Amino acid sequence: MRRVQALLEEFDGLRAERAELTELLGLAEGEALAAECRAALAALEERLRALPGEAPREYAEREALVTVTADPGESERRAYELWQDYLERARRAGRPASTYDRRMGEWDVRSVTMRIGGPGAFGWLAGEDGSRPSGPGVRVEVLPMALSFDPVRVPDEDVRVEEFPRLRGCGVPDPGGNRAVRITHLPTGTVVVCEDQGTTHRNRVGAMAVLRTRLLHARTRRDAPAPSRPENASRPDSGTP
């Protein structure tokens, strides 16, 4: 995780430097200074292109996005217990944990999305993706959090961002005026909500982090090679035994 953090910091620093150089190039007086700026920009762009290749390919060092979902009814109580269990396990392990969103059902929590941080959180939890004993009607999804230099771009025109009142117990609006944020990714129809980060701005940042993580997961699944088929395997419609 330290390596990932170092790469993130370098990436952000290079982007800031690129912005400064671009502005300086626009103000440059004289071809010599302009040529120097262009050369520095070219070297910087080359470094920026190389950074994604240095990110952990198997994602094991990354933070984790955990979603627990329950069918309507008594399973909602089990989803609540799993949510609290993840938070407690993270606390005992010294890992930061943050809840992004929770949807209430008739009995208890219908779904909850949380971020588990610390070095190697995804590697720590990856084996529980869909396989952890969670009881009937309850599902667990564990994804590696997307990083800023992952190949996932979300232009402003591709999203619809909505804010709405964050409600506390019994439907009472948040007295601090903080609002929940819903982001819809128009090309895919993916919808994410964040309401538990404390401020409207943090909810917006959190919702975008969840969206980019889900888009990265969809891209990874789409680009994964199809399972190889044995040469002597029969086709479903061929009638071959």
Side-chain angles (χ1 to χ4, degrees):
M1 191 64 188
R2 291 187 182 90
R3 179 184 167 211
V4 173
Q5 187 62 38
L7 286 171
L8 279 172
E9 291 174 356
E10 182 177 359
F11 183 78
D12 291 340
L14 288 172
R15 288 201 304 180
E17 186 178 349
R18 179 175 60 182
E20 292 176 1
L21 282 171
T22 301
E23 182 179 0
L24 182 59
L25 178 60
L27 299 174
E29 296 181 0
E31 181 56 31
L33 180 56
E36 184 178 343
C37 289
R38 283 193 291 268
L41 275 171
L44 189 148
E45 292 289 353
E46 184 176 351
R47 178 59 184 150
L48 277 170
R49 285 193 295 271
L51 274 179
E54 299 178 20
R57 294 190 179 277
E58 298 302 323
Y59 305 124
E61 297 181 26
R62 299 192 180 194
E63 295 184 336
L65 183 74
V66 180
T67 301
V68 180
T69 307
D71 291 338
E74 295 184 15
S75 298
E76 295 169 2
R77 181 61 187 175
R78 177 57 180 154
Y80 172 83
E81 293 171 352
L82 274 174
W83 170 37
Q84 295 301 307
D85 180 57
Y86 274 108
L87 295 179
E88 177 59 21
R89 289 170 61 199
R91 186 193 65 78
R92 291 199 306 264
R95 297 178 179 275
S98 176
T99 299
Y100 281 137
D101 177 49
R102 48 185 161 166
R103 303 284 93 189
M104 302 303 296
E106 183 178 350
W107 290 63
D108 214 309
V109 172
R110 178 74 56 82
S111 70
V112 61
T113 300
M114 70 198 94
R115 181 175 186 154
I116 307 296
F122 178 69
W124 184 52
L125 296 172
E128 301 181 3
D129 184 13
S131 61
R132 183 181 181 193
S134 52
V138 180
R139 294 164 297 283
V140 176
E141 179 186 54
V142 182
L143 302 178
M145 292 295 301
L147 301 176
S148 58
F149 49 68
D150 279 322
V152 178
R153 298 290 174 263
V154 186
D156 290 344
E157 60 269 21
D158 281 359
V159 296
R160 180 173 65 247
V161 181
E162 303 167 278
E163 296 180 2
F164 56 95
R166 179 184 182 276
L167 302 180
R168 307 183 72 180
C170 302
V172 178
D174 188 325
N178 297 320
R179 298 173 68 81
V181 175
R182 179 191 299 113
I183 299 181
T184 303
H185 186 244
L186 301 176
T188 64
T190 303
V191 179
V192 299
V193 176
C194 186
E195 63 175 2
D196 285 337
Q197 291 297 289
T199 69
T200 304
H201 173 71
R202 289 178 181 173
N203 284 336
R204 183 182 290 259
V205 171
M208 184 57 70
V210 175
L211 176 61
R212 295 189 70 254
T213 294
R214 296 206 177 283
L215 294 179
L216 176 65
H217 176 60
R219 178 189 177 113
T220 301
R221 289 200 307 174
R222 184 191 67 216
D223 295 344
S228 59
R229 179 190 180 90
E231 292 184 3
N232 61 350
S234 62
R235 297 181 181 178
D237 57 351
S238 66
T240 304

